[in-house]
Amino acid sequence: MTLDLTTTTLPAGDAAAAAAADCLRGGGLIGFPTETVYGLGADAANPAAVARLYAAKGRPSFNPLIAHVATLDAARSIARFDAIALKLAEAFWPGPLTLVLPKASGCTVCDLATAGLDSVAVRIPAHPVAQAILRAFGGAVVAPSANRSGHVSPTTAAHVRADLDGRIDLIVDGGPVEVGVESTIVGCLDAPRLLRPGGVLREAIERVLGFALAEPASALAGNAAPLAPGMLASHYAPGAQVRLDAEDVDPGEALLAFGPVELPGAERAAAIRNLSAAGDLAEAAANLFGALRDLDASGARAIAVMPIPPHGLGEAINDRLRRAAAPRD
Ligand code: TXA
Ligand code: MG
């Protein structure tokens, strides 16, 4: 397994979409923008390509991948939609929602990409560059976030290169992403269940459904399937320690701020990034992973994080921050 590839970067456009499709057809790996985060794409039907993807990412191979497609017809050829799943697809696709559904018979997503489960995660991304690549390629593209396993998700092409240079074939640069946190994952295998908060708000989904989402089933006894996406400890971890709900800044700490910065010790912070000085959660989500990367690169021993409200996109932001703060081995 060679990981000493030459990684080409192309600016988004027709030529880049064609090159990305060629690369996928040849079993190659591409970094490409979606509206949530940059994805690391491979041909979902090609087990050798998917094996290369896991190796490039250094991801434990039991963690299943999301299959990205351009159209609802394509989604229906790989997964079975009941009435509720269809309602969610029609309300939120294309967009930052992933549905975990029963595999359709004839589903082309290889077993390695679904970790042998009889369900499959599907998403139609809204980003025009992702759409162009999917249409040029024609098939499903599996894509985790384009970072090394355990690292912070990439929101720019430069982040992708920092993690995966020499490990993938092509990066399509479509500029910084818009949403900044990954897709919301809803399992539709029994009662619709929120498996991961993300870019589509829980409140918006519940409004469409007309009832509340069930909670993750990770606590269900005896269920060994990886139903708790990204629940690996320190899944989104920067190198520095992360201290949540900080009410002051300790010596040597960097500060991840939200809203007006009035906490004691802020003036001596090793570095400061404000997710949104105006206290806007959408702006904060878009800035989250880049800010964590920047503060980590400052060399501070720890990052103090101001409290972020829990509602709306704050649910996904706090979820990622809790993982970043989780104890590491
Ligand atoms: O926004 C996103 O979702 C990005 C962009 C690139 O689309 N992708 C992304 O992929 O975040 P990844 O691999 O980092 O996270 C996908 C999550 C994993 O935690 C995995 O456990 C879960 O989806 N997943 C995939 N298939 C599943 C299945 N059949 N059942 C339960 N969870 C599943
Ligand atoms: Mg990820």
Side-chain angles (χ1 to χ4, degrees):
M1 180 96 26
T2 165
L3 289 174
D4 54 357
L5 302 169
T6 301
T7 304
T8 308
T9 298
L10 294 175
D14 291 347
D22 277 348
C23 181
L24 291 166
R25 275 183 212 109
L29 303 179
I30 62 164
F32 67 103
T34 82
E35 70 277 24
T36 56
V37 299
Y38 272 71
L40 169 56
D43 178 357
N46 181 339
V50 175
R52 291 182 65 223
L53 185 157
Y54 283 122
K57 203 174 151 74
R59 154 171 283 197
S61 55
F62 49 77
N63 207 356
L65 304 173
I66 298 171
H68 298 69
V69 291
T71 64
L72 188 55
D73 280 348
R76 295 186 84 159
S77 73
I78 63 178
R80 292 207 311 273
F81 287 71
D82 63 11
I84 286 176
L86 208 51
K87 202 170 177 184
L88 293 178
E90 280 165 356
F92 297 109
W93 280 352
L97 176 71
T98 294
L99 296 174
V100 173
L101 302 169
K103 271 184 183 168
S105 63
C107 171
T108 51
V109 180
C110 66
D111 284 341
L112 186 56
T114 58
L117 298 171
D118 48 20
S119 59
V120 60
V122 193
R123 168 160 116 82
I124 301 182
H127 197 294
V129 175
Q131 281 276 339
I133 292 170
L134 290 170
R135 285 176 195 280
F137 176 58
V141 173
V142 283
S145 50
N147 52 281
R148 296 284 285 274
S149 190
H151 289 195
V152 168
S153 292
T155 55
T156 66
H159 294 161
V160 179
R161 183 170 282 282
D163 266 23
L164 296 173
D165 191 23
R167 304 173 77 87
I168 66 176
D169 301 286
L170 176 65
I171 300 171
V172 179
D173 187 348
V177 302
E178 202 175 304
V179 178
V181 291
E182 297 87 344
S183 60
T184 302
I185 305 183
V186 174
C188 293
L189 301 175
D190 45 16
R193 214 171 273 286
L194 184 66
L195 300 180
R196 177 177 75 183
V200 173
L201 305 189
R202 168 205 289 274
E203 296 90 323
I205 296 170
E206 294 182 340
R207 221 175 296 128
V208 167
L209 289 175
F211 56 85
L213 285 161
E215 292 308 307
S218 50
L220 285 187
N223 195 334
L227 279 172
M231 292 296 171
L232 295 175
S234 76
H235 187 74
Y236 296 92
Q241 285 210 322
V242 175
R243 185 166 71 85
L244 300 180
D245 295 321
E247 288 174 346
D248 57 9
V249 181
D250 293 338
E253 281 187 326
L255 174 63
L256 186 63
F258 177 83
V261 181
E262 284 156 2
L263 65 182
E267 68 289 345
R268 65 168 179 233
I272 299 186
R273 285 288 179 280
N274 199 331
L275 293 175
S276 170
D280 178 84
L281 286 166
E283 184 183 18
N287 289 330
L288 177 65
F289 290 130
L292 282 171
R293 276 181 192 258
D294 287 349
L295 293 181
D296 208 17
S298 77
R301 63 171 177 82
I303 301 171
V305 183
M306 285 172 65
I308 317 264
H311 57 262
L313 275 172
E315 185 174 16
I317 296 170
N318 280 299
D319 171 82
R320 306 307 188 270
L321 286 170
R322 273 194 299 275
R323 290 180 210 293
R328 324 224 176 106
D329 298 333

